[in-house]
Amino acid sequence: MDDLMLTIIDDEITTVDDQSNDLKKWKIAIIDDDQGVHDVTKLALSGVKILGRKIEFISALSGEEGRLLLKDNPDCAVILLDVVMETSDAGLELADKIRNELLMDNVQIILRTGQPGYSPEEEIISRYEINDYKTKNELTRDKLFTSIATAIRSYNHLRALDESKKGLRNVIEASASLMKERSVHDFASGVLQQINALFNLSSQGIFCVSQSPSDGPIELIDESDSQYFVVATSPSFHDFYGKDLQDISNSHEVEIAQNTLINKQNQIQENLCSLYLSTPSGWEGVVVINSPLSLNEVDEELLKLFCLNISLGLENAKFFTHLNNAAFYDEVTGLYNRTGFIEKSSEILKSAKSSMALFIVDIDYFHEIIESLGFEFGNMVLNAVTSSLNRDFLSDGIIARLHSDVFALLLPDTNWHYRDITKECSKPFMIEGNSLRLGVTVGEATCDLSTETFDIELLLRHAEIALKVAKEHQRGVGQLFESKFEDDKRAHLDILADLRNGIANEELFLVLQPKVSMTEGYVVGYEALIRWQHPIKGLISPNAFIPVAEQSGLYFDIDMYVFRKALALIAENPAITKPISVNVSANSLHHSDFISELKKIIAEKDSDISQIEIEITENALVRSDMAIQHLRELKALGFVLCLDDFGAGYSSLSYLLKLPLDVIKIDRSFVTHIEKGAKALFVLEGMLQICQNLSMRVVVEGVETQEQADILIALNADIAQGFFYFKPLTIEEVLIKAL
């Protein structure tokens, strides 16, 4: 494990929201197999206060120790978690247990690793709810403090929300029958009944409240004129229900209600009683009953207390309604959100006889719509899609907007398939008078209720996997989930875990494929190629692990590994005097630490780089100016630079003019067709002529037959690489066959 690099700043301790009160300490768990990391972290944050509390560190040196530690400390606020401990993914396994076994939903997890350039996949970050990710050499004292302070604020906020939810639930459940009503209508109806019970009446009445509070959350405040709606009535006033007071005429009850609201106090007349209600957030209400109310002193106090309880109950009912909507419904479309969708799925299951089908619908290129036309137009698009889904499917199942431009549709016993959904959702619709047609991609997952147990979370995961596969291979159509997709994903993760171990244990080795002068017949250089000898699985093809490395952030580690191995090979085999070319991936060329890491490797053993050539592909040059800048820095260091696979991708002749290139490698695809087609021959001849006129060395890849070699020689090509001359050779074979 690499040491944690911390810069200790000798200055006054920084605190956040420092308070003098003596609260209990924040618990921060350090779970790392390097004791030095524990010591340095504690030293760096000693004496710090955050939100007025000191920090208490608890420690574990392995994933299993960490699990037991956290089990005994459920009030831990932040976990500084090493990724690689007793196993290469011990940290991620522990993260899974923290969320799914220990059920610590609020604790903030900050992953730390000593491997620069490695970053977890987005799916891993999302699955384990990772709150932050840092390499250890990033964490100076200031940055560590900032990460901890931010995490504690988030933890404190989440805990406060939990407490608020618990408090609201306790108030509603522990209060009298009135307080148990969770909707404004039910609450108001209960008030009318309770007044009769409290004062031994048999009256009729109405209850109305303001549409929005005057001092509530900004999203609840209506900027229009205040309106008062009748939310509950006794049978005699049923015609008033749901109306604005201003729309009801010729009613003494409404008149006294309006006067009560104007004067903001109770009004008791001979045959009418009107009670004024005001909540802390500024909702106003009035209860009118058409019975005489003769009150003694005790009854007056009881009435005041009752009105206070009604006000508090109204506040709770109003906010509960708002929170319920926020928790289960999407604000933009009015559809269920993910939580509401999952909750409602059990009701849909009751109506299913044989099967359930889940479709996840993703709008193609929605982000481009947002970038071009803005969020307001994007919301119009989302609502148009919502209208289409509601029209076709609302009566049959449930619909949700899971996030951004992704919708979910759950249907029982349906004949719909993803192709039908794609076709239906791709029909044109109108927005602001313009016809718009969208493309969508659909992921489908099904559950046969005769053989499977319905699990909405599992079904969602399967549909999301199918959607991901569809977006990679069938965008604009869709994909039905197949079990092999999950197997492939599991295999991907297995290879990734093994690959990290393989790099650490130096299981990867180099083979060399010679480059040959076709006219002279001797070897002029080599290309270094990576191979992996797994201790159990044997030789693993590069096609199996290189894509995994690129997707998972290990590309940089592998490129640096190859570079280090190439230098060692040259040092250990002085008989190999020809240059060795090393491939650098596009991602490495864009890595901010690329040049500095190369210099560090060179300096480690005072290596001679005169025999090292750097090969980069064309697609590495089209992403940013950083790649071109790094290329120039490589040239300044003395490397010979080779442009690999020229002509296969984003070919630009301007590269030959503006970049410090020494060698051009022509892609094998041009050689493959020169025996069969004149066009391929003319193109290849032109490429060779241009490079030769620019005094650049040219290497032709993929030469596999004598006929191809003869044609290339006739075109004045000199250097070739391919199976016709040599397959990739081990170092021992090179020393015997290809010096």
Side-chain angles (χ1 to χ4, degrees):
M1 298 300 299
D2 292 339
D3 291 336
L4 171 65
M5 300 300 296
L6 279 171
T7 303
I8 306 301
I9 301 175
D10 185 16
D11 62 0
E12 186 176 348
I13 292 297
T14 304
T15 64
V16 176
D17 294 348
D18 198 9
Q19 302 170 2
S20 59
N21 56 339
D22 185 18
L23 301 171
K24 71 175 186 178
K25 299 176 180 178
W26 299 112
K27 283 187 181 178
I28 296 180
I30 306 172
I31 303 176
D32 197 299
D33 61 356
D34 186 347
Q35 182 60 50
V37 171
H38 294 253
D39 297 337
V40 173
T41 303
K42 292 175 183 178
L43 175 62
L45 296 178
S46 62
V48 164
K49 282 187 178 181
I50 298 175
L51 297 178
R53 302 190 193 182
K54 293 182 178 179
I55 291 174
E56 175 187 350
F57 289 100
I58 55 178
S59 297
L61 292 170
S62 70
E64 179 57 19
E65 283 184 23
R67 185 186 70 82
L68 297 174
L69 177 73
L70 295 172
K71 184 178 180 180
D72 294 334
N73 292 273
D75 58 340
C76 183
V78 181
I79 302 171
L80 298 173
L81 180 58
D82 190 12
V83 177
V84 181
M85 292 183 283
E86 64 266 43
T87 63
S88 62
D89 58 349
L92 296 181
E93 289 182 357
L94 179 55
D96 183 31
K97 292 176 182 177
I98 290 168
R99 299 303 189 198
N100 298 316
E101 180 181 319
L102 301 180
L103 302 180
M104 298 175 71
D105 295 327
N106 294 339
V107 68
Q108 303 292 289
I109 301 175
I110 300 176
L111 281 187
R112 302 197 294 183
T113 182
Q115 300 181 22
Y118 162 77
S119 61
E121 295 180 279
E122 289 183 7
E123 181 182 347
I124 291 175
I125 292 174
S126 175
R127 182 193 304 172
Y128 302 125
E129 298 181 52
I130 304 303
N131 306 104
D132 201 357
Y133 170 81
K134 300 289 183 184
T135 56
K136 294 182 180 179
N137 58 10
E138 283 184 88
L139 287 176
T140 63
R141 189 265 186 199
D142 283 353
K143 289 183 179 179
L144 179 61
F145 172 78
T146 300
S147 296
I148 294 293
T150 301
I152 285 178
R153 283 187 179 279
S154 298
Y155 169 79
N156 200 37
H157 179 65
L158 290 172
R159 193 183 60 173
L161 285 177
D162 274 355
E163 291 300 319
S164 295
K165 291 177 184 176
K166 291 177 184 176
L168 180 58
R169 190 180 305 115
N170 290 338
V171 167
I172 293 174
E173 293 176 352
S175 298
S177 59
L178 273 181
M179 295 295 188
K180 294 180 181 178
E181 303 299 348
R182 296 191 175 189
S183 75
V184 174
H185 168 72
D186 292 341
F187 175 81
S189 299
V191 168
L192 295 177
Q193 296 172 7
Q194 288 298 324
I195 287 178
N196 283 330
L198 184 61
F199 296 103
N200 195 25
L201 302 174
S202 57
S203 62
Q204 299 289 311
I206 63 173
F207 191 137
C208 69
V209 296
S210 59
Q211 184 180 21
S212 62
S214 59
D215 190 29
I218 189 67
E219 65 269 20
L220 299 182
I221 297 176
D222 189 353
E223 295 181 356
S224 62
D225 294 337
S226 294
Q227 295 173 294
Y228 297 87
F229 287 88
V230 177
V231 295
T233 69
S234 300
S236 296
F237 297 100
H238 180 71
D239 291 343
F240 292 179
Y241 179 70
K243 294 182 178 179
D244 186 342
L245 282 184
Q246 295 179 355
D247 297 333
I248 304 173
S249 58
N250 301 320
S251 168
H252 292 302
E253 288 77 15
V254 171
E255 183 180 344
I256 192 173
Q258 290 173 332
N259 289 334
T260 300
L261 291 167
I262 292 171
N263 296 310
K264 300 187 184 301
Q265 62 182 16
N266 297 342
Q267 294 195 26
I268 299 177
Q269 298 180 359
E270 184 176 353
N271 291 314
L272 284 175
C273 175
S274 180
L275 307 178
Y276 174 72
L277 308 173
S278 178
T279 74
S281 293
W283 269 301
E284 290 185 302
V286 60
V287 182
V288 179
I289 57 174
N290 65 347
S291 288
L293 192 59
S294 178
L295 302 176
N296 56 34
E297 185 175 343
V298 174
D299 287 340
E300 288 182 3
E301 292 301 319
L302 184 58
L303 181 61
K304 290 179 183 178
L305 180 60
F306 183 69
C307 288
L308 175 62
N309 286 336
I310 293 174
S311 297
L312 294 175
L314 174 61
E315 182 95 323
N316 289 335
K318 276 281 192 178
F319 275 115
F320 188 90
T321 299
H322 169 67
L323 291 173
N324 186 65
N325 287 338
F328 295 102
Y329 294 90
D330 173 56
E331 184 179 359
V332 174
T333 63
L335 297 173
Y336 289 109
N337 58 19
R338 190 183 189 97
T339 302
F341 185 75
I342 291 171
E343 289 288 326
K344 192 70 175 178
S345 64
S346 58
E347 295 184 22
I348 297 299
L349 177 63
K350 295 175 184 177
S351 65
K353 296 178 181 178
S354 60
S355 66
M356 297 285 281
L358 174 63
F359 304 91
I360 295 185
V361 181
D362 180 276
I363 302 174
D364 292 335
Y365 309 110
F366 181 73
H367 294 293
E368 283 79 356
I369 294 175
I370 295 293
E371 290 175 1
S372 302
L373 302 173
F375 283 98
E376 185 175 346
F377 188 85
N379 287 342
M380 293 181 190
V381 171
L382 294 175
N383 280 301
V385 173
T386 298
S387 297
S388 176
L389 292 172
N390 281 336
R391 181 186 65 245
D392 294 328
F393 306 110
L394 187 59
S395 61
D396 299 324
I398 56 171
I399 309 166
R401 180 189 175 210
L402 299 183
H403 59 84
S404 184
D405 59 333
V406 179
F407 295 81
L409 175 62
L410 183 65
L411 300 176
D413 305 316
T414 184
N415 293 321
W416 287 85
H417 298 288
Y418 68 83
R419 293 184 185 276
D420 307 317
I421 303 292
T422 303
K423 183 177 179 181
E424 195 67 24
C425 291
S426 299
K427 291 180 179 179
F429 51 83
M430 301 297 293
I431 294 182
E432 294 186 330
N434 298 311
S435 177
L436 182 66
R437 184 191 294 270
L438 294 174
V440 299
T441 305
V442 180
E444 178 184 353
T446 60
C447 176
D448 183 347
L449 298 177
S450 65
T451 59
E452 301 172 79
T453 300
F454 177 74
D455 182 339
I456 186 60
E457 297 276 13
L458 179 64
L459 209 58
L460 275 168
R461 192 173 87 236
H462 285 175
E464 285 167 341
I465 291 173
L467 176 64
K468 183 176 181 181
V469 173
K471 290 175 74 172
E472 291 174 352
H473 304 290
Q474 296 193 81
R475 181 179 285 273
V477 187
Q479 178 67 55
L480 175 66
F481 173 79
E482 300 175 20
S483 59
K484 70 174 184 178
F485 298 157
E486 210 162 30
D487 295 338
D488 291 345
K489 190 63 179 176
R490 193 174 295 110
H492 174 104
L493 293 175
D494 288 344
I495 288 177
L496 180 59
D498 285 351
L499 184 55
R500 291 198 180 104
N501 283 331
I503 293 172
N505 298 331
E506 298 194 4
E507 296 166 5
L508 283 74
F509 64 96
L510 298 185
V511 294
L512 301 179
Q513 185 173 26
K515 304 171 189 177
V516 178
S517 171
M518 290 186 289
T519 56
E520 301 296 333
Y522 58 80
V523 173
V524 297
Y526 310 90
E527 180 179 1
L529 302 171
I530 190 74
R531 296 293 185 266
W532 181 13
Q533 184 67 42
H534 192 282
I536 297 174
K537 300 175 182 178
L539 191 64
I540 297 179
S541 167
N543 292 334
F545 69 87
I546 292 298
V548 173
E550 291 178 345
Q551 294 170 23
S552 307
L554 283 179
Y555 56 85
F556 186 75
D557 300 68
I558 288 182
D559 282 354
M560 296 303 101
Y561 183 97
V562 170
F563 185 75
R564 186 179 283 107
K565 285 291 185 182
L567 290 176
L569 187 154
I570 292 170
E572 294 166 4
N573 298 277
I576 299 177
T577 59
K578 305 298 192 304
I580 297 175
S581 61
V582 173
N583 288 284
V584 172
S585 69
N587 290 321
S588 286
L589 201 60
H590 287 77
H591 198 290
S592 58
D593 295 333
F594 174 59
I595 297 297
S596 61
E597 190 66 19
L598 279 187
K599 290 180 179 179
K600 179 181 175 182
I601 294 172
I602 294 168
E604 282 177 357
K605 295 185 178 180
D606 193 24
S607 302
D608 179 9
I609 64 170
S610 61
Q611 280 183 249
I612 297 290
E613 297 182 353
I614 301 291
E615 290 192 14
I616 49 100
T617 55
E618 283 184 84
N619 66 345
L621 303 176
V622 299
R623 299 191 185 183
S624 71
D625 293 336
M626 179 181 289
I628 296 175
Q629 176 60 32
H630 281 169
L631 206 60
R632 289 175 177 148
E633 292 183 45
L634 288 172
K635 187 64 177 178
L637 288 172
F639 288 104
V640 171
L641 300 182
C642 175
L643 184 60
D644 195 11
D645 299 333
F646 185 70
Y650 304 91
S651 296
S652 173
L653 293 177
S654 65
Y655 291 151
L656 306 182
L657 301 175
K658 68 181 181 180
L659 297 179
L661 300 171
D662 303 292
V663 182
I664 302 297
K665 292 186 76 173
I666 295 178
D667 187 71
R668 65 180 60 248
S669 59
F670 293 95
V671 177
T672 303
H673 301 290
I674 59 174
E675 301 165 85
K676 303 176 182 178
K679 289 183 179 180
L681 184 61
F682 292 150
V683 171
L684 181 58
E685 183 178 13
M687 294 169 67
L688 286 167
Q689 188 66 50
I690 290 171
C691 294
Q692 289 163 358
N693 289 342
L694 292 174
S695 299
M696 290 184 175
R697 280 190 289 141
V698 180
V699 177
V700 182
E701 294 184 288
V703 181
E704 298 185 352
T705 68
Q706 181 68 59
E707 186 177 358
Q708 290 172 346
D710 292 341
I711 293 172
L712 290 168
I713 292 172
L715 294 176
N716 293 321
D718 180 23
I719 302 173
Q721 183 178 340
F723 283 11
F724 177 69
Y725 296 101
F726 288 102
K727 292 182 179 181
L729 306 174
T730 64
I731 306 305
E732 293 74 18
E733 290 172 329
V734 168
L735 294 174
I736 296 172
K737 302 178 182 179
L739 287 178

